[in-house]
Amino acid sequence: MSRPPIRRVPFDALSLRELHGLLALRSRVFVVEQASPYPDIDGRDPGALHLIATDSAGFVVGCARCLDPGEDGPDAPASFGRLAVDPSQRSTGLGRALVAESLAVLAERWPEREVVIGAQQHLERFYGSFGFVRITESYDDFGIPHIDMRLRR
């Protein structure tokens, strides 16, 4: 199975179908599959650049969001998150491609900012393969152990 292409889409350019698809994917992965009832709609989507991968039928099968660090203050790090891959696309490299594209966006838009992410703890090795290192102890985020990680430069 070939991996679908990833598009960069500002929030205001998302079609209603794309917005529905990315919210549905995030809900299926984070709330249902991972049994974590958390407030996904957190007010950060409108200021984010969204990465979206759709299958041949137009369904969103992968997504991530790159956050504008300016919303958190002049010294805030750049970050990405809400990275989700539909089970049908796992083991295709889509997750790795979404991380690589997220890092490319952050480097282009905010090259002077360090990159810090909140990662599910079980993905520490995955993110470590991109150069991220753990910077916090484990903490609970709506029932899922998380850690903060910083990109080594």
Side-chain angles (χ1 to χ4, degrees):
M1 172 187 321
S2 64
R3 181 176 50 78
I6 297 168
R7 295 179 301 113
R8 297 177 179 186
V9 187
F11 182 81
D12 289 336
L14 289 168
S15 72
L16 291 177
R17 190 168 301 280
E18 289 170 327
L19 178 60
H20 178 271
L22 79 86
L23 292 174
L25 175 62
R26 289 176 1 190
S27 178
R28 280 193 316 273
V29 171
F30 300 128
V31 177
V32 177
E33 182 181 326
Q34 297 180 353
S36 177
Y38 79 107
D40 181 37
I41 299 176
D42 61 359
R44 301 293 306 261
D45 285 319
L49 179 69
H50 296 270
L51 305 181
I52 300 208
T54 54
D55 66 12
S56 59
F59 293 105
V60 175
V61 293
C63 64
R65 69 178 184 183
C66 298
L67 299 172
D68 180 348
E71 290 185 15
D72 295 325
D75 298 321
S79 190
F80 66 89
R82 298 293 202 272
L83 191 148
V85 175
D86 188 83
S88 70
Q89 293 293 315
R90 293 184 187 153
S91 300
T92 65
L94 181 55
R96 293 192 72 74
L98 284 164
V99 172
E101 187 69 12
S102 295
L103 292 174
V105 166
L106 299 180
E108 291 167 16
R109 291 182 170 214
W110 303 286
E112 73 287 355
R113 301 283 181 116
E114 70 176 346
V115 177
V116 175
I117 61 171
Q120 292 185 5
Q121 186 173 336
H122 75 276
L123 295 172
E124 182 174 3
R125 285 183 47 182
F126 173 74
Y127 288 114
S129 72
F130 289 92
F132 282 92
V133 295
R134 177 196 283 232
I135 57 172
T136 65
E137 294 298 318
S138 179
Y139 58 91
D140 181 270
D141 190 9
F142 292 93
I144 307 287
H146 276 67
I147 54 174
D148 289 345
M149 300 184 81
R150 176 182 295 125
L151 184 63
R152 281 182 299 193
R153 295 193 184 211

